[in-house]
Amino acid sequence: MFEKWITNGTAAPFYARKSFSIGKPVQSATAKVCGLGQFLFSVNGQKMGDHELDPAWTDYNKLVQYVTFDVTDALQQGENVLGVEVGNGWYHKMDEHYTFAFPPFMPPNPNGYHPYAKALVLALVLTISYADGTEEVLSADESFKVKQHPTVMSNVYGSETIDNRLNVPGWNKPGYDDSAWAQAALADEEDVPKGVLKNQFQPAVKVIQEYQGKLIGQVNRRDIYDFGQNMSGLLDFEIKGSVGGTVNIYPAEKLGPDGDVDQVAKNWITVDSCITAIVGQEGVWEHCRMKFAYFAGRFMAVEAQNAEIRSLKGCAITSAYQAAGSFRCDDVRYEQIYDMIEKTVEANMVGVHTDCPTIERFAWQEPNHLMAGAIFYMKECKALWEKFFGDIRCAQHTGQDWFNDMTGGKYYPGEGTIPAQCPCYVPNVLPVPGLGDMYDIIPWGSTGILGVYWHYLFYGDRQVVADNYDMGMRYLEHLKSRVNEDGFINYGLGDWGNPRNELARENIETAFLYADAVTLAKFAALLGKPDDQAALEEYAQQVRANYNEKLLVWNEELGGYCYRCWDHPDQLFLTQAAQALPLFWGMTPEEHRADVVRALQYTLVRDGSFICGEVGLPYVIQMASQNGMNDLICRHILKEEHPSYYAFILDGETTLGEYWENNPRSHCHDMMGHIIEWYYNGIAGIRPEQPGFAAVTIRPYLPESIHEFTCSYHSASGEIIVGVEENEDEIRLNVHCGDGIACRVDTAELAARGKQVTVVRS
């Protein structure tokens, strides 16, 4: 589609402009634009759209997104000007200030980041349809003019340097004289992106809220500001001073004991990000705003030399800005937990699903199925997840793909491997001593199957299954090649994030092998592939039989069966996750299911909290909820010490921490936000019985400390609203389901409160 790509010949941000004339009435006009790594587009000085950081991050060797703008109303008779600002992003990463590096305890990485090109590039096609039926097409070519951008350095990890001495007032408006600007050059072949071009179809990154910085003190001769909210955001402010004066702004998620910003991530790494602004005019207030990268944090330390600052704002950004559901109740603790997790999800959705905005900014894949239920209830994410699945398809390896190993030789990940990160910009393909493989991890790669399952369950779109079926089948074949002689998968991270490091690799990872196989069997049935279905079901039963033969044992103390942990051969060792996963996926023989439920309850009571990581936690919560243990869930999430969601609230956090601890490495990880799914299908009791919520069961539960709640969810089949009010005499249940939904109401959980339950349906 783009015949030409232009450049200013450098890896630094640049302006590009084109003046042209229109002499007759315009019927419609569309511009398709791609500036790599990030761009902003304007017509006649007016920014087009409300997007930020276009286009979304991809593996530019495989896939490149362009953005389509309707510019009809922005054009005018006479002179018109197209203006584009192009910055770095991941296309050519700048390393000034903080940039991610693997820590010293990991093996040196022989496969570091490689720029996609030596220079930033731009492509643009403007198509104008005139009222007289004619058409004109204008493309970016050598007639465009280019100039250095005032953002002289843009680092994808959040540092930018804005030199206001290079500001060009009116550069993108008619009447500006660009005769001193350089002519654009055609990009060299090696600088042109190799990936397939695709229109950006998923929600773009947008500003959702602005937070004013509040000056809370001065420490170490630095002014300390608090936005009151941890976020991913664009910094917006004004400076004034002597020409060449500077303001350095340091973001952080937390303050240190002395009240200064603390950029050290749990003694793991220092995130020394910095936004620098240089005064361009003597004694004049100048506006500055980040354009090609975003900061992460809540607090700002400001150092000024021959300059001053005012109107400091944090403009929070996300791709997950469209709400799907809401939950409110009369116990503020539940609301605080909900809001904390929602803000965390928003901060990590920026065209990819990052693990955290601060340290890595990598698109680790496991939350795209482990957190799918929680996020889909909260946010409309149908198209966003479809983009994620496209990234996975691009990243999946062929048998010929290879990386460098530590000896200079070639390491082949293997046909069908799905990397833990998609896209993966800094591949680390070597197992980490004492941890496991961090590149090929089954709960991460399984997003290519289980993420598709959750998407189909919530949105009911058969096409997403068809689009990703072959990917899933290739991945399962890869997994089969990694099963050990005992019939287990055990090379990854197990129950990652477990506060006691009880990883139970064989139990956890092999349960995912079974889940992948039975899910693909369901997909095969849906797509009319009976031979595949039969083979997949047979393989799944082989995995299930071996799993139960070797792990399902009699527990004398409990007087029933339970799942022991394979990695504790000399004792009967039980974890919460080891009971919950086989229960959830139907691995447990029906005659022993009640025993294993009792074993799960035993571990939850024994431990007094959720002693599980991000991998096991969603299954523990769901199995506890479905088997009469909602009271334990309430008790655990409201504990005032870790591990607990409410403990983060008492710590003063506004986003969820990475691990169950005070001052975690990252203060903005959504990977353990699974409790939100329980808000919707546990408290409100909204459970899908058919894909797309075409049929649902409403089975609400009223926590002891809640006497009133309202929960809404806009499903693919229509609006669902559940409200409960309790008074001294009765519990009133209000249910509304859209006309396209078959709704069954079950009041058993509410009736357990011992009061009359009155159901009102609308």
Side-chain angles (χ1 to χ4, degrees), residues 56-59 62-63 65 202 351-353 363 365 384-396 418-419 421-425 471:
W57 300 345
T58 56
D59 178 348
K62 303 286 185 65
L63 173 67
Q65 291 194 327
Q202 78 280 357
V352 298
H353 189 171
Q365 286 299 311
L384 193 57
W385 252 248
E386 289 168 1
K387 188 267 183 185
F388 298 164
F389 298 146
D391 290 333
I392 298 173
R393 293 195 300 272
C394 286
Q396 187 172 31
I418 293 178
Q421 303 166 23
C422 308
C424 184
Y425 298 112
M471 171 181 67

Side-chain angles (χ1 to χ4, degrees), residues 490-717:
N490 70 340
Y491 58 84
L493 304 179
D495 189 20
W496 180 252
N498 187 294
R500 294 180 186 163
N501 206 36
E502 296 170 351
L503 301 179
R505 280 187 176 88
E506 286 81 2
N507 297 61
I508 301 302
E509 299 189 0
T510 310
F512 278 104
L513 175 64
Y514 176 81
D516 286 347
V518 295
T519 301
L520 282 170
K522 293 176 183 177
F523 290 170
L526 181 68
L527 298 176
K529 298 176 180 289
D531 292 344
D532 282 2
Q533 181 184 354
L536 288 162
E537 288 174 347
E538 180 181 0
Y539 180 72
Q541 290 312 308
Q542 292 173 8
V543 175
R544 181 177 187 262
N546 181 73
Y547 194 92
N548 287 323
E549 176 188 347
K550 294 176 179 176
L551 298 177
L552 185 63
V553 298
W554 178 262
N555 187 318
E556 191 67 37
E557 179 184 356
L558 298 180
Y561 282 85
C562 68
Y563 285 97
R564 71 183 183 94
C565 289
W566 179 260
D567 56 1
H568 288 70
D570 299 327
Q571 65 181 127
L572 182 54
F573 192 83
L574 279 66
T575 71
Q576 297 170 14
Q579 313 310 312
L581 263 84
L583 280 172
F584 184 93
W585 288 111
M587 302 181 77
T588 307
E590 188 60 36
E591 64 269 24
H592 300 316
R593 186 173 179 84
D595 286 353
V596 178
V597 168
R598 190 162 63 251
L600 173 61
Q601 184 170 21
Y602 164 78
T603 62
L604 288 167
V605 173
R606 176 198 65 186
D607 297 333
S609 57
F610 290 128
I611 302 299
C612 47
E614 63 157 330
V615 177
L617 184 58
Y619 300 101
V620 171
I621 292 172
Q622 288 301 306
M623 287 299 91
S625 178
Q626 292 179 32
N627 290 283
M629 294 175 251
N630 281 315
D631 56 337
L632 281 175
I633 297 174
C634 296
R635 192 183 313 164
H636 290 356
I637 69 174
L638 296 178
K639 283 181 58 184
E640 295 189 354
E641 64 282 338
H642 290 292
S644 159
Y645 291 101
Y646 189 57
F648 284 117
I649 301 298
L650 296 179
D651 289 342
E653 302 289 359
T654 60
T655 48
L656 185 64
E658 181 176 12
Y659 302 119
W660 298 116
E661 59 186 353
N662 176 265
N663 189 23
R665 184 186 75 123
S666 160
H667 291 243
C668 191
H669 253 70
D670 69 12
M671 73 179 193
M672 289 198 293
H674 313 103
I675 196 64
I676 296 301
E677 183 178 7
W678 175 75
Y679 276 57
Y680 285 88
N681 68 14
I683 298 179
I686 305 171
R687 294 187 174 275
E689 302 293 349
Q690 293 180 16
F693 289 72
V696 299
T697 292
I698 307 295
R699 183 186 171 96
Y701 161 76
L702 196 59
E704 183 179 1
S705 63
I706 293 179
H707 305 284
E708 180 180 350
F709 73 78
T710 301
C711 181
S712 68
Y713 172 57
H714 190 82
S715 77
S717 298

Side-chain angles (χ1 to χ4, degrees), residues 245-265:
T246 60
V247 172
N248 292 321
I249 306 173
Y250 301 90
E253 295 189 298
K254 61 186 184 298
L255 298 177
D258 63 353
D260 201 352
V261 298
D262 181 0
Q263 293 187 314
V264 178

Side-chain angles (χ1 to χ4, degrees), residues 390-515:
D391 290 333
I392 298 173
R393 293 195 300 272
C394 286
Q396 187 172 31
H397 287 296
T398 68
Q400 290 71 49
D401 294 337
W402 60 272
F403 293 99
N404 294 309
D405 64 20
M406 297 296 291
T407 65
K410 294 182 179 180
Y411 170 84
Y412 291 86
E415 160 63 29
T417 304
I418 293 178
Q421 303 166 23
C422 308
C424 184
Y425 298 112
V426 188
N428 186 28
V429 296
L430 302 174
V432 180
L435 288 180
D437 196 322
M438 300 192 74
Y439 187 80
D440 176 9
I441 329 171
I442 182 170
W444 278 245
S446 292
T447 286
I449 300 170
L450 303 183
V452 175
Y453 164 78
W454 287 110
H455 191 283
Y456 177 63
L457 179 64
F458 270 75
Y459 300 116
D461 184 0
R462 181 180 176 277
Q463 187 60 46
V464 76
V465 176
D467 290 344
N468 296 287
Y469 179 76
D470 289 344
M471 171 181 67
M473 291 291 283
R474 290 176 58 208
Y475 182 57
L476 181 63
E477 288 303 309
H478 165 70
L479 293 177
K480 289 180 181 180
S481 73
R482 300 212 62 178
V483 174
N484 67 18
E485 61 183 10
D486 294 307
F488 295 132
I489 295 280
N490 70 340
Y491 58 84
L493 304 179
D495 189 20
W496 180 252
N498 187 294
R500 294 180 186 163
N501 206 36
E502 296 170 351
L503 301 179
R505 280 187 176 88
E506 286 81 2
N507 297 61
I508 301 302
E509 299 189 0
T510 310
F512 278 104
L513 175 64
Y514 176 81

